[in-house]
């Protein structure tokens, strides 16, 4: 059964559109279950009706015609209850509703299961038999499994216009245009531009469709790539001639024959002439061939599909090297990908990035943090975005609400252009704040620092009115390099950062890789990377890497003296003790080498693991300051992967458990006279910032684009009001109520513009 299920799902996922997918579903389910009828209904929320979309068993003319109101008939009952309905004689049921002309009166046994995606009913899958014998346990389980598996595909097709397309073919009016796609708010702001789909190299499945600029050039690029692959194969074959037996060498001949025969080539050219660029044409051709081979019953031939794929990848590699087929970035580019990496961001020429949309990740992913640092609007976790079909289309990114508009209408564009204008005005209005202190209306000052990790954002940071750097994520320069940067190279980077803020404090965090930040030249394969080898665990295991970094930091600090050194991912005191020992060693050795006494930096630890919260007193006694990493702390306290868009709704640092943990850290830190600050994204959230002020945090550190906004918040409240608000919130036990309460308080204080687009 499992094998049959897998095959059906694979076939359905390969179907070119929703109509064909649904037709295939009803055919395969009817055949597999040996029933007399299978139909699928989809829920139309505009009309509150379940619409028959595909059937085998009912009159084919009733497709699109049979419409049952929500709650109407047996299908309506399945939808209403959101559970399967298994009865032996449908026409006898009280809720049975006869649809004339459909031919359903001949069927008796009825089994209907809801198709549900993320708690939302998408439709109902029905099978029927002529005989009045109820369906068995196995049949019920099969239907539930197949409906659950199909839900994702249907949701995806629906979001990419599938249902709309289907309705049009049925002569129905289309759904309203401009329905946005919902993702997660990743970085605030509005971006309007042209979608540029980017993808990891050498992966055929992620190649988007794209219109060719010049089909003749695309064809030439294809033939160049094929020639290069042929040369490689001949070389390889010659090299292995003495090593491999003749039957294995025959594989190379088979490759060459395939490339020469025109079987692949003619198809690729056909796809290019039909309007796709060469990489998209190659993807389609290879997939078609792979499918044909896979479906062959002969195991030998079926396995040849891997060879076809291999050939495809070899050709692709050459195409991607070819300057004629490289990505071009329009003036205002919206970067779109399954997963956006730091290098993809870095590839966009300066000033041309209008926004990003990623189908994976969430607000707390590092790429979203990077976007906030750069002031680039971002939508994360837009799971239903049809990535391969949006390249070159106009796109609006609303980073406040997480919505994406593809090819918006004039009205939508005009509205967002206005909001963008207002955002720019708001930023200009706030710019006067940069000379003013972050001081409450009753005169309490709380220094605002910035989070950084890029040299490029140091100058805007310096001009932002920040009183220092609260978190410099040193891993970013490591992420975009091709190998571990050497001591001198690191020293130059740290020196630039320290110098640009001196004498104001600069907190350099030691390398925090692992989790969702993996270095291309130091790959870590783990089942649960966020619970694995991360941050200080790696650097303590690799003193040769850690010591180089410590020496670079200490040396860069010489004659400046504004370095604060921060240790990430601390979960026990032994990690601090070992780190302190290495810091002392680096300091001593470097002082001896330079023949000078080097300044000793202040040393702090990140409190971002629940264990550190409960041992905050022990940590505070060992170091000079505590810095709360609310991103990881929220992730680990709530057991919500910060990178997983499926559970992103559960990730909120205003959760009462997180708030209590923060209070405990402040209390322990202050008991030992140590400074406590927050450097996680929470510090840049206007709603949270008021609470952190009320808790008595000594400073807050955030992305540069968020700083003026938080300053405005601080300057709009008194400390007393913040404490009162904190106490009100601490009496609440539900995170949604807390967020609502704080949003209301911000609106009341005239700060609504900080949490949505426009003023
Ligand atoms: C945090 O976890 O809150 C933090 C600031 O560190 P990072 O986001 O880099 O993991
Ligand atoms: Mg962290």
């Amino acid at each position: 059964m499992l094998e049959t299920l897998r095959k059906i799902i694979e076939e359905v996922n390969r179907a070119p559109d929703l109509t064909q997918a649904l037709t295939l579903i009803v055919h395969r389910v009817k055949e597999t279950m040996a029933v007399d009828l299978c139909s699928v209904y989809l829920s139309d929320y505009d009309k509150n009706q379940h619409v028959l979309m595909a059937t085998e068993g009912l009159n084919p003319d009733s497709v699109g015609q049979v419409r049952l109101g929500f709650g109407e008939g047996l299908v309506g009952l399945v939808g209403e209850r959101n559970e399967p309905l298994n009865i032996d004689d449908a026409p006898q049921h009280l809720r049975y509703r006869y649809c004339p002309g459909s031919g359903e009166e001949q069927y008796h046994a009825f089994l209907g299961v809801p198709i549900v995606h993320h708690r939302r009913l998408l439709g109902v899958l029905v099978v029927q038999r002529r005989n009045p014998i109820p369906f068995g346990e196995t049949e019920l389980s099969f239907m539930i499994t197949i409906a659950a598996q199909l839900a994702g595909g249907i949701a995806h097709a629906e979001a990419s216009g599938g249902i709309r397309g289907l309705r049009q073919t049925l002569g129905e009016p289309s759904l309203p245009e401009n329905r946005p796609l919902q993702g997660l708010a990743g970085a605030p702001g509005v971006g309007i531009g042209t979608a540029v789909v980017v993808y990891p190299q050498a992966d055929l499945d992620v190649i988007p469709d794209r219109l060719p600029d010049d089909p003749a050039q695309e064809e030439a690029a294809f033939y160049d790539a094929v020639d290069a692959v042929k040369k490689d194969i001949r070389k390889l074959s010659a090299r292995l001639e003495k090593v491999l037996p003749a039957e294995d060498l025959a594989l190379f001949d088979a490759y060459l024959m395939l490339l020469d025969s025109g079987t692949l080539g003619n198809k690729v050219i056909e796809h290019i002439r039909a309007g796709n660029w060469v990489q998209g044409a190659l993807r389609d051709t290879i997939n078609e061939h792979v499918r044909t081979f896979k479906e062959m019953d002969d195991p030998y031939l079926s396995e040849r599909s891997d060879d076809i794929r291999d050939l495809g990848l070899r050709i692709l590699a050459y195409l991607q090297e070819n300057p004629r087929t490289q990505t071009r970035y329009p003036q205002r580019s919206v970067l779109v990908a399954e997963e956006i990496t730091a290098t993809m961001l870095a590839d966009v020429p300066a000033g041309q990035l209008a926004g990003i949309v990623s189908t994976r990740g969430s607000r707390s992913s590092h790429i979203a943090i990077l976007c906030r640092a750069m002031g680039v609007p971002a939508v994360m976790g837009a799971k239903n975005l049809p990535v391969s079909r949006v390249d070159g289309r106009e796109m609006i990114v609303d980073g406040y609400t997480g919505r994406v508009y593809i090819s918006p209408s004039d009205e939508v564009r005009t509205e967002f252009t206005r909001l963008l204008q207002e955002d720019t005005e708001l930023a200009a209005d706030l710019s006067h704040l940069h000379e003013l202190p972050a001081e409450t209306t009753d005169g309490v000052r709380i220094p605002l620092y910035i989070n950084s990790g890029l040299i490029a954002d140091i100058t805007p940071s310096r001009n932002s009115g920040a009183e220092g750097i609260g978190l410099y994520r040193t891993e970013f320069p490591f992420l975009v390099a091709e190998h571990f940067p050497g001591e001198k190279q690191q020293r130059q980077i740290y020196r630039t950062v320290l110098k640009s803020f001196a004498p104001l404090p600069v907190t350099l965090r030691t390398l925090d890789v692992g989790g969702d930040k993996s270095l291309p030249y130091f790959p870590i394969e783990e089942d649960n990377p966020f619970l694995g080898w991360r941050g200080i665990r790696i650097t303590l295991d690799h003193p040769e890497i850690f010591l180089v970094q410590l020496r670079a930091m200490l040396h860069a600090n010489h004659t400046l003296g504004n370095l604060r050194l921060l240790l990430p991912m601390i979960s026990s005191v032994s990690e601090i003790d070992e780190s302190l020992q290495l810091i002392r060693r680096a300091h001593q050795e470097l002082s001896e080498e330079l023949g000078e006494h080097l300044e000793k930096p202040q040393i702090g630890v990140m409190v971002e693991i629940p264990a550190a919260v409960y041992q905050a007193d022990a940590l505070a006694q060992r170091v000079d300051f505590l810095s709360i990493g609310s991103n990881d702390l929220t992730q680990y306290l709530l057991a919500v992967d910060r990178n997983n868009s499926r559970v992103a709704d559960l990730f909120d640092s205003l959760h009462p458990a997180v708030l209590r943990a923060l209070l405990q850290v402040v209390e322990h830190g202050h008991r030992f006279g140590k400074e406590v600050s927050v450097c996680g994204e929470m510090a840049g959230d206007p709603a949270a910032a008021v609470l952190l002020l009320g808790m008595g945090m000594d400073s807050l550190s955030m992305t540069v684009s968020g700083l003026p906004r938080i300053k405005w918040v601080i300057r709009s409240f008194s400390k007393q009001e913040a404490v009162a608000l904190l106490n009100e919130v601490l009496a609440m036990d539900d995170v949604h109520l807390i967020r609502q309460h704080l949003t209301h308080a911000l609106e009341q204080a005239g700060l609504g513009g900080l949490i949505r687009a426009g003023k």
Side-chain angles (χ1 to χ4, degrees), residues 318-355:
Y318 277 105
L319 287 177
Q320 292 180 332
E321 267 180 16
N322 187 331
R324 284 191 302 226
T325 66
Q326 256 150 40
T327 307
R328 272 186 290 276
Y329 297 94
Q331 260 320 308
R332 302 203 53 74
S333 298
V334 174
L335 222 51
V336 179
E338 300 278 346
E339 183 143 32
I340 291 186
T341 62
T343 359
M344 288 173 178
L345 284 186
D347 280 344
V348 186
Q352 289 180 217
L353 187 58

Side-chain angles (χ1 to χ4, degrees), residues 124-144:
V124 177
L125 182 66
V126 174
V127 285
Q128 288 205 264
R129 262 201 298 252
R130 288 199 173 81
N131 293 335
I133 310 163
F135 288 91
E137 188 75 17
T138 319
E139 288 162 314
L140 177 60
S141 307
F142 178 81
M143 285 282 281
I144 292 178

Side-chain angles (χ1 to χ4, degrees), residues 392-500:
R393 293 174 70 175
E394 189 184 14
M395 206 176 245
I396 295 179
V397 182
D398 181 347
Y400 294 98
T401 61
R403 295 203 179 112
V404 181
Y405 297 79
I406 304 167
S407 303
S409 67
D410 290 348
E411 301 88 76
V412 170
R413 189 185 314 103
T414 310
E415 175 61 9
F416 274 93
T417 310
R418 183 184 66 76
L419 291 172
L420 187 59
Q421 176 66 24
E422 284 193 15
D423 261 12
T424 317
E425 282 166 20
L426 179 65
D429 290 352
L430 294 179
S431 67
H432 77 279
L433 289 177
H434 96 265
E435 299 290 346
L436 301 171
E439 187 175 281
T440 59
T441 53
D442 50 355
V444 176
R445 284 194 64 165
I446 172 165
L448 298 186
Y449 299 139
I450 54 132
N451 292 350
S452 174
L454 305 167
I455 290 285
D457 63 21
I458 290 298
T459 311
S461 303
R462 192 68 192 92
N463 300 334
S464 67
E467 296 179 53
I469 295 188
L471 170 65
Y472 185 85
R473 292 181 166 94
T474 57
E475 51 276 9
F476 286 138
F478 281 70
L479 284 171
V480 291
E482 286 178 0
H483 48 74
F484 281 108
E487 183 176 327
K488 186 165 165 221
Q489 193 187 348
Q490 288 190 52
R491 187 172 76 228
Q492 280 165 350
I493 297 174
Y494 305 148
R495 181 85 185 168
T496 310
V497 181
L498 288 164
K499 211 167 163 187
S500 60

